[in-house]
Amino acid sequence: MSEATVLFDAPGPRARVRYRLIAVLGGLVLIGVLVFVLVRLGDPANNQLDPAKWLPFLTAGAWTSYLLPGLAGTLVAAVTSVVLSIILGMALGIGRLVQRRWVRWVCGAFVEFFRSVPVLMMMLFAYYAGLYTLRISGQALPLFGVVVGLTVYNSCVLAELVRSGVNALPAGQRESGLAIGLTPLKTLTIIELPQAITAMLPSMLSQLVVILKDSALGSMITYLDLLRSGGYLASAYANLIPTLIVLAVIYIVLNSLLTRLAGVVQTRLRRGPRAVVTQKVTAGMVPSVAAEPDVPPTIMPPPDHRPGREKPHR
């Protein structure tokens, strides 16, 4: 029997035909919806597909005055939040795994509370806390709200990924570290944590992509990001739908580049010396019986040839 990497049987001929039929019908429905939307947008009453509404994107003023400053604001908030989320997430993940019970309780309460709060609510809370408590003003105030909200939420998610990755490692990893004289904390940080990060890297990189997209929520607290700058451009040129389409394309390009970079990093780390070797999952098959181990020859002679056991000559 050959091994498979899925937990279900391969579809048969009828199932493949049924899947293709569903795919064709779904594609036709999507095409119909797209045609309907384009027809309604091209209606003279709406006048959203007029070529004149796309002309501002061919001028330098629309980019230098609106789109590029907004893109810079999005990248600043996203990069800052990514760095702080990784640092705080690692600290919280380690705190949930140490032996001191009170540290685990504090880190666990922090993670469970802020992971359940919406990101926009944390941005609003950080915005007004910075305004009334820290006396922050100017453009730094909305940036503070965006970065704090994104950092707190995503660090909690990364902490849970770290904890899950460490708990998924074989118990022998920890036992080997303790056996050579390492303390539990050094065993966690030197042996277990690097392997857990490598194993959970795809989920972590996906969460970093989410940070870039969630930075658009900063427009709700007057942060000058790409979405808010696009709103100003749409108000200036009265081309809301074309502006939203251009913004969507920019976000898609940014996320695609970040995903490609994450794939390169993931490939390099998985080929490194700390890569975690995983076993293939069989599709409901019983594993084959292991072969008999090779027994090395002993120094004892066979029973029939031991001294004093020779057969008498007849």
Side-chain angles (χ1 to χ4, degrees):
M1 294 183 180
S2 61
E3 292 186 350
T5 57
V6 293
L7 297 177
F8 50 86
D9 296 333
R14 293 184 179 180
R16 287 196 295 268
V17 172
R18 184 166 58 251
Y19 294 159
R20 291 173 183 172
L21 180 61
I22 294 175
V24 171
L25 293 178
L28 293 177
V29 171
L30 291 178
I31 293 175
V33 172
L34 180 60
V35 171
F36 174 76
V37 171
L38 292 176
V39 170
R40 294 302 299 268
L41 292 177
D43 190 357
N46 298 321
N47 195 24
Q48 290 295 324
L49 297 182
D50 188 359
K53 294 183 178 296
W54 297 88
L55 293 179
F57 300 105
L58 302 179
T59 62
W63 292 91
T64 57
S65 300
Y66 298 100
L67 296 180
L68 292 181
L71 178 60
T74 295
L75 294 178
V76 168
V79 172
T80 306
S81 301
V82 165
V83 174
L84 296 179
S85 297
I86 293 175
I87 296 174
L88 184 58
M90 292 297 175
L92 292 172
I94 295 174
R96 299 205 68 180
L97 295 168
V98 297
Q99 289 187 331
R100 294 186 179 274
R101 184 176 300 177
W102 68 270
V103 176
R104 296 201 306 267
W105 285 356
V106 171
C107 294
F110 184 91
V111 169
E112 294 299 331
F113 177 79
F114 287 105
R115 195 177 58 165
S116 304
V117 179
V119 181
L120 182 58
M121 183 180 295
M122 284 188 285
M123 288 184 181
L124 292 171
F125 179 82
Y127 179 87
Y128 289 108
L131 176 63
Y132 295 116
T133 305
L134 302 177
R135 305 296 181 182
I136 303 175
S137 60
Q139 294 296 325
L141 179 59
L143 177 61
F144 175 80
V146 173
V147 171
V148 170
L150 291 176
T151 300
V152 171
Y153 175 79
N154 291 281
S155 63
C156 295
V157 178
L158 293 178
E160 283 298 287
L161 292 176
V162 171
R163 186 178 68 88
S164 301
V166 171
N167 291 334
L169 292 176
Q173 299 291 329
R174 181 177 180 82
E175 295 173 356
S176 61
L178 298 176
I180 62 177
L182 295 178
T183 62
L185 182 59
K186 288 186 177 180
T187 302
L188 174 62
T189 56
I190 296 177
I191 297 179
E192 294 179 300
L193 193 60
Q195 297 183 70
I197 293 175
T198 304
M200 303 302 295
L201 192 61
S203 300
M204 291 183 177
L205 296 176
S206 299
Q207 192 62 32
L208 299 183
V209 174
V210 172
I211 294 178
L212 177 63
K213 295 187 294 184
D214 286 348
S215 62
L217 296 173
S219 60
M220 301 299 296
I221 56 174
T222 70
Y223 181 65
L224 190 62
D225 67 326
L226 185 60
L227 182 60
R228 191 170 186 84
S229 299
Y232 291 151
L233 187 148
S235 299
Y237 294 98
N239 57 347
L240 178 60
I241 299 300
T243 300
L244 292 178
I245 294 176
V246 171
L247 294 181
V249 171
I250 294 176
Y251 277 113
I252 291 173
V253 172
L254 289 177
N255 290 324
S256 300
L257 293 177
L258 185 57
T259 303
R260 182 66 60 86
L261 178 61
V264 173
V265 175
Q266 176 183 346
T267 302
R268 288 181 177 271
L269 289 180
R270 288 193 179 277
R271 291 178 180 176
R274 292 177 176 175
V276 178
V277 180
T278 57
Q279 298 180 350
K280 292 183 179 181
V281 180
T282 58
M285 297 182 294
V286 180
S288 58
V289 180
E292 291 291 337
D294 296 331
V295 181
T298 62
I299 60 175
M300 297 293 293
D304 295 338
H305 298 281
R306 294 180 186 177
R309 297 289 184 125
E310 292 83 355
K311 295 182 179 180
H313 296 283
R314 295 182 179 176

